[in-house]
Amino acid sequence: MSTALVLSAGGMFAAWEVGVWKSLSRRFQPDCIVGASAGAWNGWVVASGCGGEELTALWLDPSLAAIFPHPAVLHEKARQLFDRFRPRIPIGLTVVEVPWLRQRLVRDSAITWRHLAATCSIPLVFPPVRIEGAYFVDGGFLGALPLWAASEMGATRVIAVNALGGPDRPAGLGAIAALHALARPLAKSCPADLEVLRIEPSTPLGSVSDALRWSRANIERWIDQGERDANRACTSITM
């Protein structure tokens, strides 16, 4: 059985995934990792062998506050991640080709810093990223939790870490979900035979503005919550 760690999109909410990984890393090592948007950045670092403390330090870097809404800063951060970390296990990230709205899985050595930038290029906030004559945007646009991509990478089982899931989703995030729903007919679905074990926030992480704005207090709070949520989940699932 091949087990994938799938990390969702979520903007700054993806800091919650750091806490989840701090807990999971003490119990579990994935065979491969898949991520969308900010989850792809987390996945790139985790696949490079980094633990929760190093990932926490990256999220507590105040320079993250300058990313929104400046594409040059986003691209520079993507270059830094690409140059600093080298995955040791299979890694995949998702992007969406525009204007055709086609989901793409990019894997392993095919990933460049431009793909890391493209997977976080939120439509209407950042411009598409040009790669080999085509244009790509945020991998979470057509699917925040790319379970289909884990199946394409050969996984039969998934630990799905979904920063945008959980109860009582705020109204602003509901509006984003409605936008995604318009494109849902174009999105790839989860294979029926894929075993999926979900970890989601036990309480809402915040508003849309919180998801776009870096705040040290929020980052610390979300990381702590992610670790607690994963600790609870791990008592009911077998890694």
Side-chain angles (χ1 to χ4, degrees):
M1 177 181 290
S2 177
T3 302
L5 176 68
V6 177
L7 300 167
S8 79
M12 293 297 167
F13 290 163
W16 171 85
E17 299 173 356
V18 177
V20 173
W21 177 243
K22 288 176 72 173
S23 175
L24 290 182
S25 63
R26 296 191 288 266
R27 305 169 169 88
F28 155 78
Q29 290 297 319
D31 298 303
C32 64
I33 297 177
V34 175
S37 196
W41 284 23
N42 282 338
W44 183 260
V45 177
V46 169
S48 300
C50 295
E53 297 307 318
E54 187 165 3
L55 198 52
T56 295
L58 290 172
W59 275 92
L60 290 177
D61 181 353
S63 68
L64 290 177
I67 288 180
F68 179 80
H70 305 294
V73 179
L74 174 72
H75 290 191
E76 180 57 29
K77 285 295 181 183
R79 287 190 187 95
Q80 290 173 4
L81 279 178
F82 183 79
D83 290 341
R84 180 175 173 182
F85 299 99
R86 279 294 176 267
R88 303 173 184 175
I89 63 173
I91 172 81
L93 62 77
T94 60
V95 291
V96 175
E97 185 180 0
V98 291
W100 318 113
L101 296 183
R102 295 170 181 155
Q103 288 176 293
R104 305 292 191 197
L105 169 64
V106 188
R107 300 181 52 175
D108 303 318
S109 62
I111 297 172
T112 68
W113 75 262
R114 293 183 180 276
H115 293 100
L116 289 171
T119 195
C120 289
S121 293
I122 304 169
L124 304 181
V125 177
F126 298 105
V129 177
R130 189 174 187 269
I131 305 173
E132 296 180 354
Y135 292 87
F136 299 92
V137 297
D138 195 323
F141 181 57
L142 288 184
L145 189 66
L147 301 176
W148 62 271
S151 179
E152 288 195 8
M153 291 188 66
T156 55
R157 183 173 182 258
V158 163
I159 306 297
V161 180
N162 186 9
L164 296 180
D168 303 320
R169 181 176 303 196
L173 291 182
I176 291 177
L179 178 62
H180 289 172
L182 294 176
R184 192 169 296 153
L186 300 173
K188 297 183 180 182
S189 59
C190 174
D193 59 349
L194 187 65
E195 180 185 351
V196 181
L197 306 174
R198 294 177 181 268
I199 302 175
E200 297 181 332
S202 56
T203 59
L205 298 180
S207 66
V208 172
S209 62
D210 291 329
L212 296 175
R213 180 177 57 88
W214 184 89
S215 158
R216 184 183 181 93
N218 281 344
I219 297 299
E220 291 176 337
R221 176 170 61 86
W222 293 332
I223 292 173
D224 287 344
Q225 181 177 336
E227 189 166 9
R228 292 194 304 272
D229 289 340
N231 285 339
R232 281 193 291 268
C234 288
T235 64
S236 60
I237 62 178
T238 302
M239 294 295 171

